[in-house]
Amino acid sequence: MSEPEPSAAPPKSTADEPWPVRVVSQKVGAWIAKLGWVWVDGQVAQISRRPGSAVVFLTLRDPSADLSLTVTAHRDVLDSGAPELSEGARVTLHAKPEFYPARGTLSLRADEIRQVGLGELLARLEKLKKLLAAEGLFARERKRRLPFLPQRIGLITGRASAAERDVLMNTRRRWPAVDFRVLNVAVQGPTAVPQIIDALKVLDNDDTIDVIVIARGGGSVEDLLPFSDEALCRAVFGARTPVVSAIGHETDAPLLDYVADLRASTPTDAAKRIVPDLGEERQLIEVARRRLDRGVLALIDRETHRIESWRSRPSLARPELLVDQRAADVTALRERAVRSLEHRLRRADDELRHTVARLRALSPAATLQRGYAIVQRADGHVVRAADEVKTDDVLRVRLAEGELRAAVRDDKELETP
């Protein structure tokens, strides 16, 4: 327990009455002591067993953040709870935070240490997997399609690792012009997750990067734990650039495989899937060119035959025949029109002569020509009966040629004396 706060200490600090360092240190210790005993989960970054000392010093690191705390425990506590504890192992310990005023440091004093076994690790991963799946981090519809030919690829992998060599060599073998930006990080241990997340942020903010590959060779479940870290999974989910997971593993898939936009079974497989093969693309282009050539030649041949069929038609082979035919048709029509017109004129002439003849035959003049005469009174009235005139009436006698004047006489007057 920390020392009680001195009664002589002022209730609050002011510019005129500031607290001494010892008072501040005591108050900090008192506030930390209020936390009490807690269970802490973390990864062992360092173990220090000093010869002849009954106290063991551990450096406990958060797997998802660049944070660590010093843990002190009795050797018997470590030997009874985790006798084969090594650096990089996951532990759960029961500890109480303590603040040391003399050095101004914070540490945890543990009275129980439990090393997390493989079964418990897998159970935790399964629980985290269900949580992330429920939040939609594994949803297929949100996965982005990789560009057909990325101009620049970001690679996150261990320094001088086989995974780096496999990705670079196989990718450049398939497409020699591809460009890489490689960031080397720790791929296992307590510093792996923060370094991978930082490298991911750097590449994601680089506008020249078209796709990001996170690669590592095979390893045990414990070695691959950083690639199942929740913070890393959420960082990959929030990245703007498509991410490829290329973790060489056998049966157990890290959670990164489910979050990434593309899962490759090995770094070599990733190289085959992020860039096309130049030789295959050339073959496809050559096949397409041959198909195009055949299609164009077939089209030209078909159109040539069509033009030839058009040219073989009489109207195109001897276009003057069409003109001659139309000229003959026009001539025939003209002759037919002339004949028809002449026939109609002759018929009309005959009809006119017949009509004139009938008119002449029916005309009074024709009757007069046969010796008949027309007798009219002075008022022009034609005399048809003798009783229509009286004695001394002057009559007009029309002959075929000329006319006569006559007067009506009594029969007695005409008798010869």
Side-chain angles (χ1 to χ4, degrees), residues 344-397:
R344 290 191 176 188
L345 289 176
R346 285 195 298 270
R347 188 173 62 185
D349 184 63
D350 293 341
E351 291 178 355
L352 182 60
R353 283 199 299 271
H354 291 317
T355 302
V356 171
R358 287 197 300 271
L359 288 175
R360 287 178 177 175
L362 298 175
S363 173
T367 303
L368 295 177
Q369 288 291 341
R370 293 196 298 270
Y372 292 91
I374 299 174
V375 180
Q376 295 176 310
R377 293 186 306 190
D379 56 3
H381 178 74
V382 176
V383 178
R384 292 181 174 84
D387 57 358
E388 293 181 1
V389 296
K390 297 182 294 183
T391 303
D392 296 332
D393 284 342
V394 178
L395 300 177
R396 179 185 176 189
V397 181

Side-chain angles (χ1 to χ4, degrees), residues 84-325:
E84 298 181 359
L85 187 65
S86 60
E87 295 179 356
R90 293 289 291 271
V91 295
T92 300
L93 52 86
H94 187 247
K96 181 180 181 180
E98 293 182 343
F99 181 74
Y100 296 93
R103 297 192 301 272
T105 58
L106 175 67
S107 65
L108 299 176
R109 178 165 56 88
D111 63 353
E112 184 178 352
I113 299 176
R114 299 177 183 177
Q115 184 171 356
V116 179
L118 179 59
E120 185 175 352
L121 282 176
L122 294 178
R124 291 184 181 183
L125 291 180
E126 186 63 25
K127 183 178 179 180
L128 178 59
K129 179 180 178 181
K130 293 180 179 179
L131 174 64
L132 298 180
E135 293 183 13
L137 270 69
F138 302 161
R140 184 179 300 273
E141 58 270 13
R142 62 148 295 271
K143 296 185 182 299
R144 292 154 295 189
R145 182 185 296 272
L146 269 62
F148 171 73
L149 182 60
Q151 298 300 314
R152 198 178 191 201
I153 302 172
L155 176 60
I156 302 174
T157 187
R159 185 180 301 277
S161 62
E164 177 181 1
R165 183 177 61 255
D166 289 345
V167 173
L168 296 179
M169 181 179 65
N170 287 285
T171 304
R172 286 170 176 159
R173 180 182 298 169
R174 292 172 61 84
W175 198 271
V178 70
D179 185 25
F180 275 93
R181 182 180 179 182
V182 182
L183 297 183
N184 296 119
V185 297
V187 291
Q188 69 182 62
T191 62
V193 173
Q195 291 186 21
I196 295 174
I197 292 177
D198 291 341
L200 178 64
K201 291 180 180 178
V202 171
L203 294 178
D204 193 36
N205 292 328
D206 189 345
D207 294 334
T208 64
I209 300 297
D210 295 326
V211 63
I212 300 173
V213 180
I214 301 177
R216 179 206 151 91
S220 63
V221 176
E222 292 83 353
D223 293 337
L224 299 180
L225 281 178
F227 300 98
S228 294
D229 185 82
E230 180 179 0
L232 177 59
C233 291
R234 295 189 182 279
V236 171
F237 180 79
R240 297 179 298 108
T241 309
V243 178
V244 177
S245 174
I247 311 302
H249 47 80
E250 296 297 331
T251 57
D252 298 321
L255 299 184
L256 177 62
D257 284 354
Y258 299 98
V259 182
D261 298 287
L262 177 65
R263 172 188 176 184
S265 59
T266 61
T268 302
D269 181 50
K272 295 179 180 179
R273 302 180 70 175
I274 58 179
V275 295
D277 184 81
L278 181 59
E280 293 178 359
E281 295 302 318
R282 283 179 173 174
Q283 291 180 359
L284 292 175
I285 292 174
E286 186 62 29
V287 171
R289 289 182 61 183
R290 288 197 294 266
R291 291 179 58 187
L292 182 61
D293 290 342
R294 289 195 299 269
V296 172
L297 292 176
L299 178 61
I300 293 175
D301 186 61
R302 184 168 63 251
E303 296 302 321
T304 300
H305 286 303
R306 182 179 298 179
I307 293 174
E308 289 297 331
S309 65
W310 288 346
R311 292 180 59 185
S312 62
R313 293 179 181 179
S315 59
L316 292 179
R318 296 185 62 188
E320 66 276 5
L321 293 178
L322 182 62
V323 178
D324 294 342
Q325 182 179 357

Side-chain angles (χ1 to χ4, degrees), residues 336-347:
R336 182 178 176 184
V338 170
R339 289 194 301 271
S340 176
L341 181 60
E342 291 177 350
H343 174 70
R344 290 191 176 188
L345 289 176
R346 285 195 298 270
R347 188 173 62 185

